[in-house]
Amino acid sequence: MMRVVDILPGKAEIAATGLAERNFIVDRDAYRHFVERYRREFVDFKRSFYGNGGTADGATDPGCNGRTLTALDEACIEAFERSRPPFYYHLGSLYRYRIDRPGTNDRPILLERAERSEVSGSVAGIPVFSEHRGLLIRFCLWMERKFQKREQRGKS
């Protein structure tokens, strides 16, 4: 997994994440796309979770306004994160985002990009067992046709 950011963070922030600089990819368009998606989806989810359109202060980003989160806010965030699909497909890549609770308004989510092999377990996106089984079946059918032709020549 590679962490996708809009601007490469400083050395101290990179060290705080426990990742190396090579684990970060700068892709402003993808990051902004998922921030907009997150804000839209989270506001919709909060309306259904709280029943009245959100918390009393109307904050849209959890943890990003300098306020402390209440237990109900934490429950809302947990339920939101569990309701998300594991990966999103966007412009040929698979992405996953999580809410960055101590994040800022500029960087409210943690966005990760996964390669298909990390998600599916194989290079081609097809599990290795299925690839080998498919080749084996083709080989067996080819051999069967060869033996049937040989039997037909022997009978004539």
Side-chain angles (χ1 to χ4, degrees):
M1 291 266 184
M2 300 293 285
R3 175 90 38 100
V4 180
V5 292
D6 57 344
I7 300 169
L8 193 64
K11 301 269 186 209
E13 191 176 343
I14 290 175
T17 63
L19 301 172
E21 191 172 331
R22 69 178 184 280
N23 297 88
F24 285 85
I25 299 172
V26 177
D27 188 349
R28 289 182 177 99
D29 294 333
Y31 191 82
R32 288 179 185 153
H33 168 78
F34 281 100
V35 167
E36 290 171 11
R37 182 178 197 144
Y38 149 71
R39 288 189 171 135
R40 192 173 52 246
E41 290 175 350
F42 190 66
V43 167
D44 290 343
F45 186 83
K46 276 178 44 175
R47 283 190 187 118
S48 64
F49 186 83
Y50 288 105
N52 64 353
T55 56
D57 62 0
T60 56
D61 292 336
C64 294
N65 296 319
R67 66 182 179 90
T68 57
L69 298 174
T70 64
L72 191 57
D73 292 334
E74 285 289 341
C76 178
I77 293 168
E78 288 295 322
F80 174 73
E81 287 183 342
R82 287 184 183 159
S83 71
R84 303 293 92 211
F87 293 97
Y88 292 96
Y89 182 79
H90 177 68
L91 298 177
S93 295
L94 297 167
Y95 293 91
R96 175 176 64 192
Y97 74 81
R98 296 173 290 152
I99 296 173
D100 187 11
R101 291 184 177 109
T104 62
N105 282 326
D106 295 335
R107 196 175 286 161
I109 63 172
L110 298 173
L111 181 63
E112 296 171 331
R113 187 178 84 185
E115 300 299 323
R116 285 190 177 97
S117 60
E118 292 175 302
V119 176
S120 66
S122 116
V123 176
I126 302 169
V128 175
F129 176 74
S130 298
E131 287 178 11
H132 291 284
R133 186 168 181 255
L135 290 174
L136 180 63
I137 289 174
R138 285 184 182 178
F139 177 74
C140 290
L141 292 173
W142 178 76
M143 291 297 294
E144 182 182 17
R145 284 193 301 264
K146 289 289 185 186
F147 287 129
Q148 284 176 350
K149 287 180 183 177
R150 195 175 278 175
E151 285 179 12
Q152 289 174 356
R153 276 190 246 145
K155 288 181 181 177
S156 10

